[in-house]
Each structure stands twice: as C-alpha cells, then as structure tokens.
Amino acid sequence: MKSVFALAALLAGLFSAAAFGQQAPFYGQHLSGEYGLYDQSGARVCTVRLTDQFNQLRETFQMDARDCPEPIASAARWELERGMGTGRHQIAFWSGGFTPAWRGAVPSREAEVWVGEGSDGTSYQLRPESERPRAWLRGEPQAQRRALEQANRLRPGDLLGVYRLSPRNGYPRECYLTLFRGPNGGGRVRVEGEGCGPFANADRFRYQQGRVVIFDRRNQGVWGGDVRRPDGAIRIVGGDRQIGQWELNRLGAALPRTAETVTMETLAGRWTFEENGARCAVTLLADGRVDAAFACEDPAQLFGSWRLEGDLVVISDSSVFNPSDIWRGRVVDMNTIEGRGTDVMVGLPPRRVGRSALRR
C-alpha cells in the first residue's frame, strides 16, 4: 500500500504545474461562462458552461455540456485553436480522439457568435450570454493586454539599480546588490552589506525572457528569479529548495545615466584607484588630464588623460604623440566606476590590467 501512495505522489509531482511549467492560456479567464447552443432554425438547444479550470496535461479547459445532445454532451474539454487573429480563433469541444465533438468559427469580424458543425454533421451556433466573451470577440482584452505589455516592457538599462535582499515573506536583510553594466556592456553585480546568503559571491547577471540569473566569478549559477513589476516597481523573485526563496526589491529609480548627472564636471575630483588590493590616489581633472599620486605604481602611474563616452570612463597613458587607452570603467554611481584594462600591456613583466575600480 505504501508503494501505491509513493507512486501516486510521484505522479502528482510529475504532472504538477511546476513540473510542466505550463500556464493557462490568456483567453480562459475571458471566455469562461454560460453559452447558449442554437440550431439552424434559431431555436435554443441547450446550455454550455465553459470553465477556466485548466487541465495541465491535456492543455485544455474543462466544460459542462451534459444537457446537450450527443456528440456535444460527451465533450469535457474546450480550447481555442490557432488561426484567425486576435479574438477570432476557432473554438473546439473535445471528448476524445482526433476529431472534436464540435468546432466553430466566427463568421465575420462583427459577429458575436461561433458557427460550426458537430462531428455528426449537425450545425450549431454558440452564443455567449455574458459580456466578457463578447468583449473578447471584439478584441478588447487583447488590446488591453498588448498595451499593458508595451507599458511594462523592459528596456535596456531598466533593471540597473540598487536592490535590497529579502527572504521570501521574511524581513529585509542589510544586504544590497547593485546591478550595473560592466565596461564591455555585460551585466555585473556588486554586493555590499551583511546576511547576503547565496548572493555573497554574486558577480554578474544575465536577463533572458523575463528572468534574471546571477552568476559568481567562475560563471557558476548562484540564483535565478522572475522579474515582476507591481505598480511600476521592480521585484525579482525566485529560488529553489536548496538555497530557499529570495526576492530582490529595487530601491528608488535606476542608476544615474543622464547627460545631466554623468559629465566630466561631475566626475572630476579625487578618486582612489583599486586593483588586486592595491590602492592609489588619482585626480580626474575637468579638462581631461589625470593627476596621479607620486607613489602610484603601474598602471595608475601611467594615467595621463581621460575622456567620457556616455557613462564609460576611458583612461589613456601619458604619451604625448601616440597615447593608448589602457583602462575602461563604467559609472556605477557617482562614487564608483568599475572597470578593467584594455588589451594594452603594462609593467614588468608585461600584464593586462585586471578588474579594478575608481572610488571616491
């Protein structure tokens, strides 16, 4: 008996929504309700009830047409079939096999009715008896959804910013993750604070199909979460059984990226260049020169000039006739510029400048 329960539990897990990752189609919530089934003479035959209860395995919705004549009475599932644009898809009732018990299409754009034949050749009309299906046939929910998707569409840079970490349904931690673009344009992560859990070694991120995946320096996956935008804010929610459920909540607006805030004048001043634990004081002058402290070693002692390309700071060496770019860094915030060296070699023995930063 125990083995039977174990097998049942296993099958339940295999056929669960989480296992399949299948969401109910958008139309289900709009087309559910009562419909009248009419014959060719216009006489009402019976009532058909379409529900929004989605069958994950068969990928159709449940229905009740038991008061109708066969073969429709045996139909237990319904769906919209691909084909005729938004709101005018064919609707089909299924009882089993490869042929639907009834299939109907919308005869014209203005019609608020499906017309079709049963598997026995009898013609019927299916007429909605509530406003939601009629609105669907007019295309109103589809238009609203497209407008909402367009309004909430993530654009380049929308995810950048400072996020606070929280366990799912728990108190926020004093841990903050900054998502920013690295000097080569890839997504980078900076972690500050305490109680960061699995995010302590986070280093970079990728965004694909509504999901953010965070990696460490070895490019090993640390955590992944889905992007949600309640009331215009950004939350990233996800996790698994091993690391638990976590969410990242963005604080305020995105990182400063406007020409008014990131300029040579606002970035000019005294900075500390950090690489591999070594530190050196450098000054970025508003006229494009770099003044490095006398005690600086390579590469900072080679810094001679700098320029701004959008939010990318590019530093060149002090050569008068043929200066070379030796470092590029992205402005994370007005006190931090994260970057790394170009392909130019510096020092003895020659080496490329590694990951490094300028900090106020």
Side-chain angles (χ1 to χ4, degrees), residues 58 70-77 93-97 99-101 119:
R58 297 182 180 272
E70 293 290 354
I72 297 177
S74 299
R77 301 177 288 113
F93 299 161
W94 295 91
S95 57
T99 302
S119 58

Side-chain angles (χ1 to χ4, degrees), residues 161-324:
V162 181
Y163 293 75
R164 189 172 187 180
L165 175 67
S166 298
R168 192 73 191 278
N169 302 320
Y171 292 105
R173 299 283 182 89
E174 293 301 320
C175 177
Y176 302 88
L177 278 70
T178 302
L179 305 189
F180 64 98
R181 288 186 300 146
N184 296 324
R188 289 277 311 281
V189 181
R190 185 180 66 186
V191 183
E192 298 175 293
E194 300 176 351
C196 297
F199 299 87
N201 297 319
D203 181 71
R204 61 193 66 194
F205 76 93
R206 295 176 193 161
Y207 173 71
Q208 293 179 329
Q209 299 180 341
R211 186 171 179 82
V212 172
V213 181
I214 293 180
F215 302 85
D216 60 19
R217 287 199 176 193
R218 298 176 298 173
N219 207 33
Q220 299 295 315
V222 172
W223 177 85
D226 297 319
V227 178
R228 302 179 183 177
R229 305 191 70 181
D231 302 324
I234 292 183
R235 296 172 60 215
I236 309 174
V237 181
D240 57 35
R241 184 174 299 177
Q242 292 182 343
I243 64 173
Q245 295 288 323
W246 300 85
E247 62 181 57
L248 297 173
N249 293 275
R250 195 171 73 176
L251 305 178
L255 297 178
R257 284 293 179 267
T258 64
E260 292 76 18
T261 56
V262 181
T263 65
M264 294 189 71
E265 288 72 20
T266 56
L267 293 180
R270 185 181 177 89
W271 295 79
T272 298
F273 181 77
E274 301 177 354
E275 185 203 16
N276 294 329
R279 298 184 176 185
C280 172
V282 298
T283 302
L284 304 183
L285 302 175
D287 61 5
R289 291 178 296 132
V290 179
D291 183 11
F294 180 77
C296 285
E297 299 179 354
D298 291 336
Q301 69 172 354
L302 302 176
F303 291 173
S305 61
W306 70 288
R307 65 183 185 275
L308 190 61
E309 298 178 355
D311 61 349
L312 189 68
V313 173
V314 183
I315 298 181
S316 303
D317 60 28
S318 54
S319 174
V320 176
F321 299 104
N322 189 25
S324 299

Side-chain angles (χ1 to χ4, degrees), residues 24-46:
F26 168 64
Y27 62 79
Q29 59 182 303
H30 296 280
L31 292 182
S32 59
E34 291 192 353
Y35 292 74
L37 193 70
Y38 294 80
D39 61 21
Q40 286 184 302
S41 67
R44 184 186 178 93
V45 177
C46 60

Side-chain angles (χ1 to χ4, degrees), residues 103-123:
R103 174 186 282 133
V106 181
S108 67
R109 188 174 296 276
E110 296 76 21
E112 295 185 354
V113 61
W114 282 272
V115 179
E117 291 186 352
S119 58
D120 62 350
T122 306
S123 296

